[in-house]
Amino acid sequence: MTATTSVLFDAPGPKARRNILVSNLVALAAVLAVVVLVLMQLDRQDQLAPDKWVNALNANAWTNYYLPGLQFTLQASGIAVITALVFGLVFGFLRLAPFAIIRAISGVIIEFFRAVPVLVMMFFLYFFFARVVAPAGLMASSDAAYYGVIVGLTLYNGAVIAELVRSGVKSLPKGQREAAAAVGMTNNQSLRLVEVPQALTAMLPSLLSQFVVILKDSALGYLIGFYELLQYSRQLGSGYSNIFQTLVIAALIFIVLNFILTWLATKLAGNLSSRTSGDVAPATSTTMAPTVDVETK
């Protein structure tokens, strides 16, 4: 048989290629024109002055603003990643429990935290910690924004991870659970030892992309007074009247961090996939027919 290759579109001819080239050139010219207009406008507002960029990049800016803000950002994000992962695994297991009442209650909790915007959750938790927990002497009022950011990121992203766990386990072939039952495992043991580990490996790219979301969403904490990278950058810009420059530097730091995290996620996913997959060599042994001894009576 001759294999035929089907394509969605025919290969473009000379006229189509010329039109595509012209369209690309026009789009590139439009983008360059917008960039030039933006730079001209910034120059009119004296935003391209060297002294503004020097004050945004000198040792004082990094020592007293960017690095402390980056420290609080990474600290809050790191804690939120761990707690969200624990929350997601626990409620992911509960969503797969054999009892309908447990699945229903955990499903309501997960869908509630997924539906509430993370910023609204941060505001609510900030007021809760500042007006209920702090007056009771359980925490300092100055830490209300810090814990509001961490708990808000935990609840929202933990609910998303729990749904990833549930959907990842449900997408596995039924033969996985049947094979676990065949060797004497209970449903809980099958989930814990067989299904969830495979689901975590399969959903690793989505899981690590959620960690990137946690890092970016931590910047929302400046709206409730949490001093992280964005808040420190705004404070530096307000002091030297170069808030545009400081926000550009903060954005570049976030881009570099997200790029590194995405690169690590890609490498980790590749390593795991190479360990869990392999070539199956064909059997080379010769099958021999069994010898049957026949007794003659």
Side-chain angles (χ1 to χ4, degrees):
M1 293 181 61
T2 302
T4 59
T5 303
S6 60
V7 294
L8 295 176
F9 305 101
D10 293 333
K15 184 176 180 180
R17 290 196 297 268
R18 185 170 60 252
N19 292 336
I20 292 173
L21 177 62
V22 171
S23 301
N24 292 336
L25 292 176
V26 170
L28 179 61
V31 171
L32 292 176
V34 171
V35 172
V36 170
L37 290 175
V38 170
L39 292 176
M40 291 175 60
Q41 186 65 24
L42 292 174
D43 186 56
R44 292 193 191 99
Q45 297 177 2
D46 200 27
Q47 291 297 321
L48 299 180
D51 60 324
K52 292 183 179 293
W53 290 98
V54 169
N55 291 329
L57 290 169
N58 57 18
N60 172 62
W62 286 98
T63 304
N64 298 319
Y65 293 94
Y66 295 132
L67 292 181
L70 182 60
Q71 176 185 350
F72 283 112
T73 295
L74 294 178
Q75 181 178 335
S77 301
I79 296 174
V81 164
I82 297 174
T83 52
L85 185 59
V86 173
F87 182 96
L89 289 175
V90 170
F91 278 88
F93 273 108
L94 294 178
R95 285 277 279 167
L96 298 167
F99 305 104
I101 184 65
I102 296 179
R103 293 198 304 269
I105 294 174
S106 60
V108 170
I109 294 174
I110 290 172
E111 294 303 324
F112 173 79
F113 287 127
R114 286 180 63 197
V116 178
V118 64
L119 182 58
V120 175
M121 202 177 304
M122 286 182 183
F123 271 108
F124 174 80
L125 291 167
Y126 167 72
F127 287 115
F128 173 75
F129 287 132
R131 298 185 180 182
V132 178
V133 180
L138 300 177
M139 63 179 295
S141 58
S142 58
D143 295 332
Y146 177 72
Y147 288 107
V149 170
I150 293 177
V151 178
L153 292 174
T154 297
L155 295 178
Y156 176 78
N157 293 280
V160 175
I161 292 174
E163 187 61 23
L164 286 175
V165 172
R166 185 200 66 82
S167 60
V169 171
K170 289 294 185 181
S171 64
L172 292 176
K174 293 183 179 180
Q176 299 293 332
R177 174 164 292 191
E178 294 173 355
V183 296
M185 289 187 181
T186 63
N187 288 338
N188 290 334
Q189 290 175 331
S190 175
L191 281 174
R192 180 164 47 87
L193 301 176
V194 178
E195 297 173 70
V196 170
Q198 293 188 41
L200 287 176
T201 302
M203 69 181 188
L204 187 61
S206 300
L207 187 63
L208 292 172
S209 66
Q210 200 63 35
F211 295 162
V212 176
V213 172
I214 293 176
L215 179 63
K216 293 189 295 183
D217 285 350
S218 64
L220 297 174
Y222 90 94
L223 294 172
I224 60 175
F226 175 51
Y227 273 79
E228 41 72 61
L229 178 59
L230 185 58
Q231 184 76 301
Y232 271 98
S233 301
R234 289 169 58 89
Q235 187 178 19
L236 174 63
S238 299
Y240 289 96
S241 299
N242 60 346
I243 194 169
F244 170 76
Q245 287 77 9
T246 58
L247 291 181
V248 168
I249 301 302
L252 291 176
I253 294 174
F254 273 112
I255 291 172
V256 171
L257 288 176
N258 291 330
F259 176 80
I260 293 174
L261 188 57
T262 304
W263 178 78
L264 291 175
T266 304
K267 295 291 289 185
L268 182 59
N271 291 335
L272 288 178
S273 62
S274 64
R275 291 180 183 180
T276 55
S277 62
D279 296 332
V280 179
T284 57
S285 60
T286 305
T287 303
M288 301 187 63
T291 303
V292 180
D293 294 333
V294 180
E295 295 183 358
T296 307
K297 293 185 179 180

